[in-house]
Amino acid sequence: MTSAGLQLLAFILALCGVSGVLTATLLPNWKVTMDVGSNIVTAIVQLRGLWMDCMWYSTGMFSCTLKYSILSLPTQVQAARATMVMACILSALGICTSTIGMECTRLGGRETKCYASFAGGICFMSAGISGLIPTVWYTKEIIENFLDLTVPDSSKYEPGGAIYIGFISAMLLFISGVILCTSYTKKHPEAWLYPPQQKHSSTSPLEGNSAYSLKDYV
């Protein structure tokens, strides 16, 4: 019962992490800057994301420009795109496999559920690591650029909400993967401590019979 509760908790955390990672991947506010200018009426909020750049004027107008060209993007954006998409794919695969491995479902046998639960945990942990890489990298680059005195103030940005959402969601995915893998190792500790050995019971009766037959002749 305790294992089923832990699996359900891990599955709920994973669902929250999957939705958060997908939201962070699509949001345009990875980097945010505000240009007030000479008048508050002309204030502009610039939002830069992985797939589009947006501008929000103080008058209420909002315009976005999609990033169609991949080769013209900085290496940081290309790597962030790849890792976030990988995190989404791995987390979706983890949802499918962990659904089979949960004890509250009637899919598969006992051994199948154990292996599926462990595989789902591995997928969630990999997705969490893939989501942490771009969020930490982006935060590091933004802070270094912000503290650099040679960079003008108009080119300095601050971390946007997408980075925070992506970081928290990646941590939720990693924690859910750890819970699923831990529940598997608690169920099968002998799989890690004692590897399976082949049984030789079929040959032992024959050897015993041969021994008795030799004694009879002696």
Side-chain angles (χ1 to χ4, degrees):
M1 192 67 180
T2 305
S3 178
L6 287 176
Q7 286 182 347
L8 184 60
L9 174 62
F11 191 77
I12 294 174
L13 293 177
L15 285 178
C16 296
V18 170
S19 59
V21 166
L22 182 60
T23 303
T25 304
L26 299 177
L27 281 177
N29 57 338
W30 279 67
K31 296 193 298 184
V32 180
T33 183
M34 184 173 181
D35 185 11
V36 178
S38 59
N39 191 354
I40 190 64
V41 179
T42 62
I44 300 174
V45 177
Q46 297 181 5
L47 309 174
R48 297 189 178 273
L50 302 180
W51 309 96
M52 65 181 70
D53 295 336
C54 298
M55 299 185 69
W56 190 8
Y57 301 90
S58 60
T59 56
M61 295 181 61
F62 191 80
S63 63
C64 293
T65 304
L66 293 175
K67 298 178 179 179
Y68 292 104
S69 179
I70 299 178
L71 298 178
S72 62
L73 295 176
T75 307
Q76 177 185 359
V77 179
Q78 295 181 11
R81 277 187 177 186
T83 50
M84 291 301 291
V85 170
M86 184 63 67
C88 294
I89 295 174
L90 289 173
S91 57
L93 184 61
I95 289 291
C96 297
T97 53
S98 61
T99 301
I100 300 175
M102 294 184 65
E103 294 184 0
C104 58
T105 60
R106 297 183 179 180
L107 301 174
R110 183 175 179 83
E111 289 295 327
T112 303
K113 284 183 175 296
C114 293
Y115 290 124
S117 176
F118 183 74
I122 294 297
C123 290
F124 287 143
M125 292 176 64
S126 302
I129 294 173
S130 298
L132 284 175
I133 292 173
T135 54
V136 174
W137 190 5
Y138 249 82
T139 305
K140 174 180 174 296
E141 292 292 334
I142 291 173
I143 293 176
E144 288 182 353
N145 191 24
F146 189 84
L147 297 178
D148 192 355
L149 299 178
T150 60
V151 177
D153 294 339
S154 59
S155 301
K156 293 183 178 181
Y157 294 88
E158 295 182 1
I163 291 182
Y164 300 109
I165 295 175
F167 182 81
I168 296 174
S169 303
M171 289 300 298
L172 290 178
L173 286 172
F174 188 81
I175 292 172
S176 63
V178 170
I179 292 175
L180 288 177
C181 293
T182 304
S183 64
Y184 173 81
T185 54
K186 286 184 178 180
K187 284 183 181 180
H188 301 276
E190 68 279 356
W192 302 90
L193 298 177
Y194 307 102
Q197 298 179 356
Q198 296 181 354
K199 296 181 179 180
H200 303 280
S201 58
S202 59
T203 59
S204 57
L206 296 176
E207 293 177 355
N209 293 334
S210 60
Y212 284 115
S213 62
L214 291 175
K215 288 182 180 179
D216 292 338
Y217 284 106
V218 174

